[in-house]
Amino acid sequence: MTVSRTLSFPHLVSPETREKVAAAVRATGYIPNRLASSLASNQTRTIGAIIPTLRNSIAASFTDGLRDTLRRNGYHVLLGNSEFEPEDEEALVTEFLSRRVDGIYLTGSTHTERTRQMLRENGVPTVEIASLPQDPVDMAVGFSNYDAAYAVTRMFAKQGYAKVALFTTFTKNNERQQERQKGYWAAVEEFGLDSDPRLVSEVAMDLKAAAQNLIALLERRPDVEALFCTGDFIAAGALLEAQRRGIRVPEDLAIAGFDGLEIADNLNPSLTTVQIPRHEIGVLAGQMLLDRINGLPVGGRVVDLGFEIICRESTAKNLPRELTFTSLQTEVHE
Amino acid sequence: MTVSRTLSFPHLVSPETREKVAAAVRATGYIPNRLASSLASNQTRTIGAIIPTLRNSIAASFTDGLRDTLRRNGYHVLLGNSEFEPEDEEALVTEFLSRRVDGIYLTGSTHTERTRQMLRENGVPTVEIASLPQDPVDMAVGFSNYDAAYAVTRMFAKQGYAKVALFTTFTKNNERQQERQKGYWAAVEEFGLDSDPRLVSEVAMDLKAAAQNLIALLERRPDVEALFCTGDFIAAGALLEAQRRGIRVPEDLAIAGFDGLEIADNLNPSLTTVQIPRHEIGVLAGQMLLDRINGLPVGGRVVDLGFEIICRESTAKNLPRELTFTSLQTEVHE
DNA sequence: TTGTACGCGTTATCAT
DNA sequence: ATGATAACGCGTACAA
């Protein structure tokens, strides 16, 4: 029809017919059918995004940047939760592929073999975020979870702490948390810290679980000097529980978090944490997908956006400047 | 083809052909095209959901329940942010309609006239959540923001407070916050509380803004006795700032929040708040959409799921039992 | 500048 | 139990 032309390329149509079409559209309340459009043009202008969960989730805040970028370019986001289950993720990828999304955004780099295979055979632009995978499905943008955890633990060591506990969230199917744990152990070994495994716990991602785990930790190891939590919510829960029990932070127990959430800066004492470029990661992930879709050359396949340790009141302050271990410059691997 | 039948209704096909098709599918990595399917069958098994924002947003947590319900029934969620702009919402609704979503989920009941008109003319099942609109577009499930705010203010009044301040988040294009403010004023008037408008502020939805506004409030009205924040994040920010300034809560200043977030129960002192049935609202909204899609009779068009005031340490404890004003029974209007 | 014919990959309907 | 044919509503390519 001429209608299609009028709506897509108004300048190719005479002002009169343009007006006629506009009138008809108004009169009938016509709304173009994007399904038919997508079927014919072979593009949906939709990106499928999979995040573990929306609850207390940092991953959710990454998608803000993604959405901004996509929206500006006329793209939309189809959202799915994997609940940290690779099989659920696989089902979602299948679903997205059957809807012919133009790109796929995955959180982390833990996927089933079938997921990787489907994605690669399909050739759909894919970006993995929050990790620096050795073997990316396609593209990736994130930071080194290992380095960040190593740096925080090293910071504690250099401040003279010898008994540093670690709370991670569940590491199952979550290579980010696994990497953080590895970084911790590496620093423990390198700096000769107490390597008692009872200093390490896996904690559910909520304040109450953190509080309970702090109590248990203090029973196991009442001599613990510092606590590194690989999530600000966990750290907040521990800090608030310490407050309730009259444990002084950082004098009796130093605490550091991870993520750089707003709450870290507002607790009393304010919480030392690892700031990660959440928004930037989302924005860049969106841009990389768009570039790939538009056939532009995409520079590096794995982009490291770094992190920054923010030292606040919850850890001792006598910190050598060079230990802040800022790595916020962009590094491109491969 | 027979293939379509095999995939949709395997029982209508002989085991042999079934096996042949399965083999071919495996061999070619065939993934059905839902676009074509939707075009032909006239259903997308997708619900379009619009929430104001994912940042610090309670609205985001409502969609958890929605997603659960839909997922279980083979439906997916297409998510959009309106950023509290009715015009952006209208654009999203148009976009969703052009993608032929089977249902639409809107946060609140503030929409442009065109949005209402489009939705009604289109006849797509629609549910509005978190409010009890007088004139719903289609269906709605929520609670009375007015009653909840009235109840909290009354609680303060009955406890003997005469100077009760109010922090709401921005009320522009947000009838939930407007209703809460109205409920506050109604109780102020009814119980003869101090009606100085300088006791009322609109605060951005973050901890720092809350802290700054508390400081400003204390300068304007150092004699303020209680503070009602229509959001737990605001209340948390105020409470943490009070802590920093050595203001005792609740002795010097009582504080109550709104939403029933996890953090409310973990702050020191723990925060009195209004618990709202977030998950239940999401679940029911999803169920109502599915029922309407499946042609089942949907009972009431506006469902009130109530709320509950949870009294904790941040407000005085000498509270008559009947003032807890629980309204957690389900009420159906119209 | 406008119109025609065909194809996109399914489902629906009717026949075999 | 299987196959043939016509939609679904739009883009693409070409013709008028």
Side-chain angles (χ1 to χ4, degrees):
Chain A
M1 287 270 224
T2 295
V3 170
S4 173
R5 224 185 324 251
T6 311
L7 297 176
S8 304
F9 312 98
H11 59 281
L12 291 183
V13 130
S14 81
E16 315 158 7
T17 34
R18 209 181 303 164
E19 196 39 59
K20 267 198 275 184
V21 171
V25 164
R26 246 168 306 161
T28 60
Y30 168 79
I31 297 181
N33 188 330
R34 260 211 201 288
L35 296 173
S37 159
S38 296
L39 185 60
S41 70
N42 206 28
Q43 58 164 327
T44 52
R45 302 185 83 75
T46 301
I47 301 296
I50 301 180
I51 59 179
T53 166
L54 279 177
R55 283 173 271 103
N56 286 357
S57 166
I58 309 316
S61 65
F62 285 73
T63 61
D64 250 15
L66 176 76
R67 222 181 302 271
D68 285 356
T69 305
L70 296 183
R71 186 80 186 282
R72 227 187 305 285
N73 290 273
Y75 278 72
H76 283 256
V77 175
L78 191 61
L79 200 69
N81 300 133
S82 65
E83 298 298 337
F84 295 102
E85 290 299 337
E87 282 72 23
D88 286 10
E89 187 189 62
E90 180 180 314
L92 283 167
V93 167
T94 308
E95 175 67 27
F96 287 170
L97 255 26
S98 82
R99 288 172 190 250
R100 301 298 187 262
V101 295
D102 294 335
I104 288 199
Y105 167 106
L106 301 175
T107 305
S109 57
T110 304
H111 320 294
T112 68
E113 205 38 60
R114 272 213 39 172
T115 300
R116 293 174 178 283
Q117 191 190 338
M118 264 194 303
L119 255 15
R120 283 186 171 136
E121 285 180 0
N122 193 288
V124 62
T126 301
V127 63
E128 297 165 84
I129 61 120
S131 275
L132 299 179
Q134 294 290 330
D135 177 34
V137 172
D138 180 13
M139 306 175 288
V141 43
F143 59 95
S144 172
N145 289 278
Y146 179 97
D147 286 353
Y150 175 91
V152 171
T153 312
R154 181 178 67 168
M155 173 196 79
F156 277 131
K158 295 289 184 184
Q159 288 173 333
Y161 295 103
K163 297 160 189 166
V164 181
L166 177 73
F167 283 2
T168 67
T169 61
F170 297 125
T171 56
K172 191 185 168 198
N173 297 327
N174 187 335
E175 86 289 339
R176 283 92 67 207
Q177 292 294 332
Q178 290 163 14
E179 287 293 311
R180 293 178 197 176
Q181 196 166 104
K182 284 183 198 161
Y184 162 84
W185 281 119
V188 164
E189 181 157 353
E190 179 160 349
F191 299 102
L193 306 183
D194 187 335
S195 62
D196 181 356
R198 292 181 310 155
L199 286 170
V200 176
S201 312
E202 283 195 14
V203 180
M205 192 57 160
D206 66 80
L207 296 164
K208 200 142 289 170
Q212 288 164 351
N213 273 277
L214 178 66
I215 296 170
L217 170 66
L218 290 171
E219 278 175 14
R220 288 198 304 267
R221 291 293 306 262
D223 56 331
V224 59
E225 299 165 343
L227 171 62
F228 174 28
C229 303
T230 60
D232 280 344
F233 271 110
I234 307 283
L239 195 153
L240 290 165
E241 181 64 26
Q243 198 173 62
R244 281 189 285 275
R245 301 175 88 79
I247 298 167
R248 292 169 306 163
V249 177
E251 293 82 356
D252 302 332
L253 181 71
I255 300 183
F258 203 114
D259 290 337
L261 299 188
E262 198 202 358
I263 193 171
D265 197 20
N266 285 272
L267 290 167
N268 305 316
S270 59
L271 186 66
T272 292
T273 187
V274 179
Q275 183 72 48
I276 55 185
R278 292 199 291 281
H279 194 259
E280 291 76 4
I281 288 179
V283 167
L284 185 56
Q287 198 54 57
M288 287 166 84
L289 287 173
L290 290 174
D291 287 351
R292 169 72 44 96
I293 290 169
N294 295 323
L296 300 181
V298 173
R301 302 175 72 86
V302 177
V303 179
D304 183 354
L305 249 33
F307 59 85
E308 185 178 8
I309 297 182
I310 310 219
C311 289
R312 298 212 182 89
E313 299 162 354
S314 68
T315 55
K317 295 203 191 77
N318 54 341
L319 190 74
R321 177 128 193 79
E322 67 273 21
L323 279 179
T324 314
F325 200 98
T326 302
S327 103
L328 261 182
Q329 73 283 16
T330 299
E331 284 178 39
V332 176
H333 301 235
E334 284 177 57
Chain B
M1 288 271 225
T2 295
V3 171
S4 172
R5 221 185 326 250
T6 312
L7 297 176
S8 304
F9 312 97
H11 59 281
L12 291 184
V13 130
S14 82
E16 317 157 7
T17 34
R18 210 182 302 164
E19 196 38 57
K20 267 198 275 186
V21 170
V25 164
R26 245 168 307 161
T28 61
Y30 167 79
I31 296 180
N33 188 328
R34 261 212 201 288
L35 296 172
S37 161
S38 295
L39 183 61
S41 70
N42 206 29
Q43 57 163 329
T44 53
R45 302 186 83 76
T46 301
I47 301 297
I50 301 178
I51 60 179
T53 166
L54 278 178
R55 282 174 272 102
N56 286 355
S57 166
I58 308 316
S61 64
F62 285 72
T63 61
D64 250 15
L66 176 76
R67 222 179 302 271
D68 285 355
T69 305
L70 295 183
R71 187 81 188 280
R72 227 186 305 284
N73 290 272
Y75 277 74
H76 282 256
V77 175
L78 192 61
L79 200 69
N81 300 132
S82 65
E83 298 298 337
F84 294 102
E85 289 300 335
E87 282 73 21
D88 287 9
E89 186 188 65
E90 180 179 313
L92 282 167
V93 167
T94 308
E95 176 64 29
F96 287 170
L97 255 25
S98 83
R99 286 172 192 251
R100 299 298 188 262
V101 295
D102 294 336
I104 287 198
Y105 167 106
L106 302 174
T107 304
S109 57
T110 303
H111 321 293
T112 69
E113 203 38 61
R114 272 213 40 174
T115 300
R116 293 175 177 283
Q117 191 189 338
M118 262 193 304
L119 256 14
R120 283 188 170 133
E121 285 180 0
N122 192 289
V124 63
T126 301
V127 62
E128 298 163 83
I129 61 119
S131 275
L132 299 177
Q134 295 289 328
D135 178 33
V137 172
D138 180 13
M139 307 174 289
V141 43
F143 60 94
S144 172
N145 290 279
Y146 179 98
D147 286 353
Y150 175 91
V152 171
T153 313
R154 181 180 66 169
M155 174 196 78
F156 277 132
K158 295 290 184 183
Q159 287 174 331
Y161 294 104
K163 297 159 188 166
V164 180
L166 177 73
F167 284 0
T168 68
T169 61
F170 297 124
T171 56
K172 191 185 170 201
N173 298 328
N174 186 335
E175 85 290 339
R176 282 93 67 208
Q177 293 293 333
Q178 290 164 13
E179 287 293 312
R180 292 177 197 177
Q181 195 165 104
K182 284 184 199 161
Y184 163 84
W185 282 118
V188 165
E189 180 156 356
E190 179 161 347
F191 300 103
L193 306 183
D194 188 334
S195 62
D196 181 356
R198 292 181 310 155
L199 288 170
V200 176
S201 312
E202 283 195 16
V203 180
M205 192 56 157
D206 66 81
L207 296 163
K208 200 142 287 170
Q212 288 164 349
N213 272 277
L214 178 67
I215 297 170
L217 170 66
L218 289 171
E219 277 175 15
R220 288 198 306 267
R221 290 294 305 262
D223 57 331
V224 59
E225 300 164 343
L227 171 61
F228 174 28
C229 302
T230 61
D232 280 344
F233 271 110
I234 307 283
L239 194 153
L240 290 165
E241 181 63 26
Q243 199 173 60
R244 281 189 284 274
R245 301 175 88 79
I247 297 168
R248 292 169 306 163
V249 177
E251 293 81 357
D252 302 333
L253 180 71
I255 300 183
F258 204 113
D259 290 337
L261 298 189
E262 198 202 358
I263 193 174
D265 196 21
N266 286 272
L267 290 167
N268 306 317
S270 59
L271 185 67
T272 293
T273 187
V274 178
Q275 182 72 49
I276 54 186
R278 291 198 292 281
H279 194 259
E280 292 77 2
I281 287 178
V283 168
L284 186 56
Q287 198 53 58
M288 287 166 85
L289 286 173
L290 290 174
D291 287 351
R292 169 69 46 96
I293 289 168
N294 295 323
L296 300 182
V298 174
R301 301 176 72 88
V302 177
V303 179
D304 183 353
L305 249 33
F307 59 85
E308 185 179 7
I309 297 182
I310 310 222
C311 288
R312 299 210 182 91
E313 299 162 354
S314 69
T315 56
K317 295 204 192 78
N318 55 341
L319 190 75
R321 177 128 192 77
E322 67 272 20
L323 279 180
T324 314
F325 199 98
T326 303
S327 102
L328 260 183
Q329 72 284 14
T330 299
E331 283 179 40
V332 177
H333 301 237
E334 284 176 55

